[in-house]
Amino acid sequence: MNIAAELLVVSFKVICSFVLAGAKWLVKPREKRVAGQVCVVTGAGSGLGRLFATEFARRRATLVLWDINREANEETAELVRDIYRETEPRRGSGDGVEDVPFYQPRVYTYVCDVSKRESVYSTAEKVRQEVGNVTFLINNAGVVSGHHLLECPDELIERTMMVNCHAHFWTTKAFLPKMLDLNHGHIVTVASSLGLFTTAGVEDYCASKFGAIGFHESLSHELKAANKDGIKMTLVCPFLVDTGMFQGCKIRKEIAPFFPPLKPEYCVEQAMRAILTNQPMVCTPRAMYVVNFMKTILPFDAIVCMYRFLGADKCMYPFLAHRKESTNNNESKI
Amino acid sequence: MMDLKLWGCALLFPLQIFLCVLRAAVRFLLPPRRKDLGTDVVLVTGGGRGIGRHLAKEFAKQGAKKVILWGRTEKCLKETCEEISAAGTECHYFVCDVGNREEVYQQAKVVREKVGDVTILVNNAAVVHGKSLMNSDDDALLKTQHVNTLGQFWTTKAFLPRMLELCHGHVVCINSILSLSSIPGAIDYCTSKASAYAFMESLTLGLLDCPGVDCTTILPFHTDTEMFQGMRVRFPQLFPPLNPEMVAQRTVDAVRTNTAFVVLPWTMHFIVALKSLLPQSALEEIHKFAGSYTCMNTFKGRT
């Protein structure tokens, strides 16, 4: 095709996608059905993973919960079973809760260390045999070492990278082939705002989250290039979430009321809406889109200036100090 | 009182930003002061070939005291070393795979004993597998992460403490524009480079309070070396592959002028800015048009 004509077509398509994005913003698109579909959540034992599991349970998806901690995982499974019972559709009630054919979803739990390739592959094989084809893959498991780079044991740096980033390779490689065959699936990457911009003192965490986003973007382009339109991808970038993972993290005192730590429920609610409407990316709160954009157009000195104004450049230092203190008191879990 | 201070800061903030932008513009127009490399010992990882080789030569040319090369292939290291020595700069080479943590620490010790304290660390070593996810070998995926990302953690941990003690040092990272704008078909590389970028950004922010120790990250577009051989961009007239010598020159210059981030060519800033602004589907159309979906099909680089 003539280059000029092609350029015209591309420009038209770009404008179209802007219009479409605007339209979606005004008219909320319908959420897709997940009832009866299999959904794998990694790191389901706590924090956002547990909330993702309960949200999917509320929509009556079959859940496969992965976590390294058996008891925590079972607790989540119990929560999920409760929700299944609560939301059981009453036949003939006619209140329009669910008009799908009666289907009893189930919950399966697996103990799996996602940082270990063999563990992921063997657990995935079990899932395939015991549960069936996976439609949703929520790559949620994440850890943080909580030490300054020079004081951090090397094994913890490796572990952060393996759980937060390399694990996505293995889980995705395990479930993607079937999704490709069926041209049907959805891969969700739970990253962090720290995957879009960084802060001092948590090099390993930022590196792992940026890596996860790099992986996510490259994979989504790969699927697009292969014309696999049926497989959707959603990137979830929450700001600091109030799950205790970054206890002690503080931005500037006067600014803090404008950026309070997110309620995990709110964060997952926003993420669920994005997932169910096939939105490619969701940042909570929305101000993060602005920060992200500013970061790409400003020179580095100005970015530093902005971070200092927000008190974001060293916001992790109190967290690191807190972590150190609790390690000394033998309170730390990891 | 607190409120007053906040309002003051809030009012000053746009002005500060404006000043920063202005300063950046002035720096762009006027040649800034360049620091002298006369006392510096430079270590270049992956210094045997590609950009690393040109970097080592450029550092020597611009007056570095000693140059140390790390790499996996002794033959290339030796050649480069001889070339630099012949030009009159003290040069040493050590065989070291930065993907191997123990080897890095051990060789770092050897360097300290035999040559002295490294004051400029250039993290340049990188590998690329260059396949789509499902066609990638697991070990190859991991190897790319270990060399391109974790290698930088280990080298930095090995040499940064001494730089902080001396209040004199520079950590340099040769990254890639793919760290900020991924393409399909090089998923291992995009992931590892994005990680490496975050590592450097976080480190740069952390080292702002450490006088004398600075960071530089270079984000070049496709460079004409054997690493990405066969990669074909659609509009080579608009975006010609970069010359490795030019990348090396710009890197050394950025080190001497203490520039934190350099994007080569500067037009790539637009692509990064567009990415944060455009809806995903628009971005995909642009990528498709620009040929980044097919550029890796002809890739036959060394893996």
Side-chain angles (χ1 to χ4, degrees):
Chain A
M1 211 191 334
N2 189 333
I3 289 285
E6 209 178 319
L7 189 63
L8 207 70
V9 172
V10 170
S11 319
F12 179 71
K13 281 182 176 165
V14 168
I15 294 169
C16 273
S17 47
F18 263 105
V19 172
L20 221 68
K24 268 189 193 162
W25 206 60
L26 292 174
V27 186
K28 292 277 173 250
R30 263 179 69 113
E31 297 192 348
K32 65 178 174 186
R33 272 251 154 81
V34 300
Q37 306 201 358
V38 178
C39 171
V40 173
V41 181
T42 67
S46 59
L48 295 184
R50 175 172 283 181
L51 288 166
F52 272 115
T54 53
E55 284 294 317
F56 271 99
R58 226 159 255 145
R59 291 166 174 84
R60 302 193 67 71
T62 293
L63 277 156
V64 178
L65 309 176
W66 284 16
D67 202 286
I68 194 168
N69 183 337
R70 183 185 298 272
E71 286 122 59
N73 210 17
E74 287 303 330
E75 274 171 39
T76 309
E78 210 40 60
L79 281 174
V80 166
R81 280 187 205 106
D82 287 345
I83 290 169
Y84 283 157
R85 276 193 287 275
E86 279 166 30
T87 58
E88 200 146 288
R90 286 173 211 89
R91 265 184 263 193
S93 65
D95 55 355
V97 182
E98 287 281 324
D99 48 0
V100 281
F102 184 75
Y103 173 80
Q104 185 55 53
R106 282 189 60 187
V107 55
Y108 301 81
T109 54
Y110 297 90
V111 176
C112 176
D113 181 355
V114 287
S115 68
K116 297 210 167 65
R117 199 198 315 170
E118 299 76 29
S119 169
V120 171
Y121 286 162
S122 62
T123 318
E125 190 51 47
K126 265 191 248 163
V127 170
R128 264 192 296 273
Q129 280 167 7
E130 294 167 16
V131 190
N133 294 333
V134 171
T135 309
F136 286 88
L137 172 62
I138 320 284
N139 279 318
N140 160 76
V143 292
V144 61
S145 68
H147 297 277
H148 281 281
L149 175 69
L150 296 177
E151 297 159 9
C152 187
D154 296 334
E155 290 73 23
L156 282 186
I157 295 179
E158 276 175 345
R159 178 154 180 82
T160 308
M161 287 302 291
M162 285 196 296
V163 175
N164 296 6
C165 179
H166 305 170
H168 295 218
F169 294 148
W170 319 138
T171 54
T172 311
K173 269 190 107 169
F175 294 117
L176 188 60
K178 197 67 203 172
M179 292 185 190
L180 285 170
D181 281 353
L182 301 170
N183 193 16
H184 177 65
H186 200 135
I187 298 171
V188 179
T189 304
V190 182
S192 159
S193 291
L194 289 183
L196 298 171
F197 43 83
T198 59
T199 175
V202 281
E203 286 85 356
D204 52 347
Y205 187 79
C206 290
S208 66
K209 289 300 184 188
F210 263 70
I213 292 183
F215 170 79
H216 178 98
E217 281 172 355
S218 189
L219 183 63
S220 72
H221 285 315
E222 240 171 50
L223 294 175
K224 188 75 189 172
N227 284 321
K228 294 288 180 187
D229 292 333
I231 304 173
K232 309 292 182 193
M233 296 199 55
T234 300
L235 178 62
V236 182
C237 294
F239 179 64
L240 183 66
V241 183
D242 200 5
T243 52
M245 191 167 174
F246 286 106
Q247 205 175 8
C249 168
K250 267 194 208 91
I251 59 169
R252 190 187 181 137
K253 205 162 40 199
E254 299 93 339
I255 303 285
F258 298 100
F259 294 101
L262 294 175
K263 287 260 166 297
E265 292 80 14
Y266 172 75
C267 168
V268 170
E269 193 184 300
Q270 295 290 313
M272 281 305 286
R273 182 166 301 153
I275 294 167
L276 297 178
T277 56
N278 295 331
Q279 195 178 316
M281 180 185 180
V282 57
C283 289
T284 34
R286 288 208 179 84
M288 291 302 133
Y289 293 113
V290 181
V291 177
N292 188 26
F293 175 63
M294 294 304 274
K295 213 193 116 191
T296 59
I297 57 164
L298 289 177
F300 185 69
D301 290 348
I303 298 168
V304 171
C305 198
M306 177 170 81
Y307 281 174
R308 287 198 169 146
F309 174 69
L310 297 171
D313 57 337
K314 295 213 188 73
C315 63
M316 284 299 170
Y317 283 20
F319 156 69
L320 296 172
H322 176 88
R323 203 56 185 272
K324 199 168 185 177
E325 205 172 289
S326 52
T327 317
N328 290 344
N329 299 337
N330 290 326
E331 283 172 21
S332 184
K333 273 185 252 168
I334 297 179
Chain B
M1 191 58 206
M2 219 55 185
D3 274 359
L4 255 179
K5 201 177 151 203
L6 176 67
W7 281 108
C9 283
L11 283 175
L12 267 176
F13 176 58
L15 194 72
Q16 272 179 313
I17 294 283
F18 177 71
L19 274 178
C20 286
V21 175
L22 202 68
R23 204 164 57 203
V26 168
R27 269 180 86 159
F28 190 70
L29 295 173
L30 300 175
R33 223 165 54 87
R34 289 180 166 76
K35 68 178 176 189
D36 187 42
L37 300 177
T39 57
D40 285 306
V41 177
V42 184
L43 188 146
V44 184
T45 67
R49 51 184 147 204
I51 297 179
R53 178 182 206 148
H54 290 284
L55 268 171
K57 287 202 277 189
E58 192 62 33
F59 269 109
K61 204 172 108 191
Q62 300 216 19
K65 192 170 148 209
K66 295 175 189 172
V67 177
I68 303 161
L69 307 172
W70 274 12
R72 288 176 300 166
T73 324
E74 183 158 13
K75 191 170 152 275
C76 335
L77 289 173
K78 203 170 166 197
E79 274 174 27
T80 315
C81 187
E82 274 164 7
E83 231 176 288
I84 293 170
S85 302
T89 307
E90 191 182 330
C91 185
H92 305 263
Y93 71 87
F94 302 91
V95 176
C96 176
D97 177 2
V98 290
N100 183 335
R101 173 157 43 104
E102 271 76 45
E103 207 175 319
V104 169
Y105 291 150
Q106 197 199 331
Q107 290 298 328
K109 213 171 132 205
V110 173
V111 165
R112 260 192 299 273
E113 282 161 7
K114 286 199 180 156
V115 189
D117 294 320
V118 171
T119 54
I120 298 182
L121 167 65
V122 186
N123 282 318
N124 161 75
V127 290
V128 59
H129 188 51
K131 297 226 170 75
S132 68
L133 180 71
M134 290 323 299
N135 294 328
S136 293
D137 181 54
D138 288 347
D139 291 317
L141 279 174
L142 264 189
K143 189 182 159 201
T144 309
Q145 309 305 314
H146 276 278
V147 174
N148 297 11
T149 309
L150 287 165
Q152 302 199 11
F153 279 94
W154 314 144
T155 53
T156 308
K157 275 186 92 169
F159 294 111
L160 185 61
R162 188 66 189 143
M163 292 183 196
L164 292 173
E165 273 171 36
L166 296 169
C167 281
H168 177 67
H170 210 116
V171 182
V172 185
C173 167
I174 308 298
N175 207 309
S176 160
I177 194 67
L178 294 184
S179 65
L180 297 177
S181 171
S182 325
I183 56 165
I187 199 158
D188 56 326
Y189 193 76
C190 292
T191 311
S192 65
K193 285 299 186 185
S195 296
Y197 175 84
F199 169 71
M200 280 309 285
E201 199 181 280
S202 181
L203 191 69
T204 310
L205 286 172
L207 290 179
L208 284 176
D209 312 329
C210 302
V213 185
D214 302 292
C215 294
T216 295
T217 308
I218 312 290
L219 304 150
F221 177 64
H222 175 211
T223 307
D224 192 11
T225 59
E226 59 175 348
M227 188 167 164
F228 268 99
Q229 221 166 40
M231 179 180 174
R232 204 170 292 151
V233 289
R234 186 169 174 196
F235 301 109
Q237 301 92 338
L238 264 180
F239 302 111
L242 299 174
N243 181 346
E245 277 163 58
M246 189 277 268
V247 175
Q249 249 168 36
R250 291 294 301 272
T251 307
V252 178
D253 206 56
V255 170
R256 294 184 64 187
T257 56
N258 261 345
T259 315
F261 289 92
V262 179
V263 175
L264 293 174
W266 63 275
T267 42
M268 289 296 142
H269 277 297
F270 288 113
I271 292 179
V272 179
L274 274 182
K275 198 187 110 181
S276 66
L277 199 63
L278 290 179
Q280 178 78 10
S281 49
L283 193 71
E284 281 163 357
E285 290 304 330
I286 289 175
H287 267 292
K288 220 183 249 177
F289 176 68
S292 49
Y293 281 8
T294 47
C295 66
M296 287 300 283
N297 292 353
T298 47
F299 172 79
K300 47 179 186 294
R302 195 167 44 81
T303 54

